[in-house]
Amino acid sequence: MKRIQHVSIALLAIASYALAQAPPTAANAPGPPQGPGRAAFAPVVIGPPAPVPPEVQIPRPTPDELTQVNGALQAWIASDKSTFKPLLQKFQPLMMLQPPHANNAASYTQTQQRQGPRHLGFAEIAAKGDIDLLLHGDSITDWWVQGDANKAMFDKYFGSMKTANFAVAGDTTQGVLWGLKNGEGQGFQPKAVMLMIGTNNTGQFTAPEIAEGVGAVVLEMRKDFPNARILLLAIFPRSIPGDPVRDKIAEVNRIISRLDDQQHVFYMDIGAKFLDDRGYFLPGTFRADNLHPQASGYDIWGAAVKDKLAELMK
């Protein structure tokens, strides 16, 4: 019985890892759609890889390690004498450790969201300088100033500060990386940065890959803004309890929390403040899409970070 249990556990563990290995995307091939399509812009081409902090780096086997692991697996299956041997042989190709592939979430890729007037406008604002607080991310941050009610919440918490909001609806970790490296991260030195990015990566990437992308963004910001303190927000929950995306986001957040060094990077998870005891969004705080805050949600957000930001901007 113990032999059967050990075989079953090993099969499940190795197969799960193998199935998570997606085939690589060619470095010069057009990438998949990045958020809402904008036909007037050039196709998205995957850019070069970005450095990733060791705290969030995915372990990747060397060629020698691949040979050793796969050789041991083959030998184990060949020597198995249980009734499971035919199954082990049938699924052996799935259990074999695969060569590591590039993680496009941690690449300098000009997404559609970073093409055209929006990016050029950010670069122009950056060149002028005089920014104390930089807000960065996707639509969740971008829409702080969408509509009078949301803007009132923005003014309530940030109106007295010199701010810039370079977040773009639909963007991803790779788009933020490209923007920072290409004009949006030069020309100014903010006192603090509030960053939340990664929810738009959840459809295509694994949690560890997304975490690498977030880590790469933090590392790029550390290079561009060496004196700034970064308030790294956990990705907000989305959808409803039971949706697998909740678990993926929770895993990303567990990994990126390791980036908190209490010196330059300060991790904060305020997601629970938006939820009731059952895990659903509090009435009136988020839109019907269970993704984007409404004014009362932004009010909760602002109240949760205002003291920490004030501390970081001293």
Side-chain angles (χ1 to χ4, degrees), residues 114 118 122 134-143 164-171 176 184 196-197:
R114 297 283 159 184
R118 198 79 191 276
F122 292 155
L134 174 66
L135 285 73
H136 224 316
D138 46 47
S139 56
I140 298 171
T141 301
D142 185 6
W143 293 353
N165 188 343
F166 289 173
V168 182
D171 212 358
V176 171
E184 297 177 19
M196 179 173 57
I197 189 66

Side-chain angles (χ1 to χ4, degrees), residues 28 50 52 80 89 92 145 158 173 178 184 207 234 279 302:
N28 61 349
V52 173
D80 186 78
Q89 292 174 321
Q92 179 175 312
V145 292
F158 309 116
T173 53
W178 186 91
E184 297 177 19

Side-chain angles (χ1 to χ4, degrees), residues 2-260:
K2 289 183 178 179
R3 168 69 172 175
I4 294 174
Q5 288 177 333
H6 291 162
V7 171
S8 300
I9 292 170
L11 174 61
L12 288 172
I14 299 173
S16 296
Y17 182 86
L19 288 170
Q21 308 299 303
T25 302
N28 61 349
Q34 308 285 337
R38 301 182 183 184
F41 294 146
V44 172
V45 178
I46 302 301
V52 173
E55 293 85 355
V56 298
Q57 198 166 48
I58 299 171
R60 291 176 170 83
T62 66
D64 284 346
E65 289 170 335
L66 274 172
T67 300
Q68 293 173 27
V69 170
N70 288 335
L73 179 62
Q74 289 172 324
W76 170 60
I77 293 175
S79 65
D80 186 78
K81 300 184 184 304
S82 74
T83 57
F84 287 97
K85 186 170 184 176
L87 278 177
L88 293 173
Q89 292 174 321
K90 178 179 180 180
F91 294 108
Q92 179 175 312
L94 293 178
M95 293 189 288
M96 300 293 283
L97 195 60
Q98 301 300 310
H101 63 271
N103 177 14
N104 296 336
S107 67
Y108 295 104
T109 296
Q110 186 181 24
T111 54
Q112 291 179 339
Q113 289 77 12
R114 297 283 159 184
Q115 297 181 33
R118 198 79 191 276
H119 162 66
L120 295 175
F122 292 155
E124 184 177 346
I125 292 169
K128 291 178 181 177
D130 200 26
I131 299 167
D132 288 338
L133 173 63
L134 174 66
L135 285 73
H136 224 316
D138 46 47
S139 56
I140 298 171
T141 301
D142 185 6
W143 293 353
W144 260 105
V145 292
Q146 184 188 78
D148 293 341
N150 289 357
K151 190 174 186 307
M153 292 299 105
F154 186 88
D155 292 341
K156 176 179 178 180
Y157 294 103
F158 309 116
S160 62
M161 305 176 188
K162 297 176 181 177
T163 64
N165 188 343
F166 289 173
V168 182
D171 212 358
T172 52
T173 53
Q174 58 267 40
V176 171
L177 280 165
W178 186 91
L180 287 167
K181 194 175 180 66
N182 290 274
E184 297 177 19
Q186 294 76 47
F188 69 109
Q189 288 297 319
K191 295 178 181 178
V193 179
M194 183 164 66
L195 168 69
M196 179 173 57
I197 189 66
T199 198
N200 291 319
N201 291 87
T202 55
Q204 181 184 357
F205 298 94
T206 66
E209 288 171 336
I210 298 168
E212 277 199 333
V214 175
V217 171
V218 170
L219 200 60
E220 181 66 28
M221 287 181 167
R222 289 286 301 116
K223 183 180 74 172
D224 294 338
F225 315 125
N227 297 319
R229 292 177 172 180
I230 301 170
L231 180 60
L232 174 61
L233 295 179
I235 301 171
F236 288 173
R238 62 184 294 175
S239 191
I240 59 175
D243 189 323
V245 75
R246 285 272 183 108
D247 295 329
K248 179 178 284 192
I249 287 173
E251 184 180 355
V252 174
N253 290 338
R254 283 193 295 271
I255 299 171
I256 66 173
S257 68
R258 303 171 193 162
L259 296 167
D260 187 329

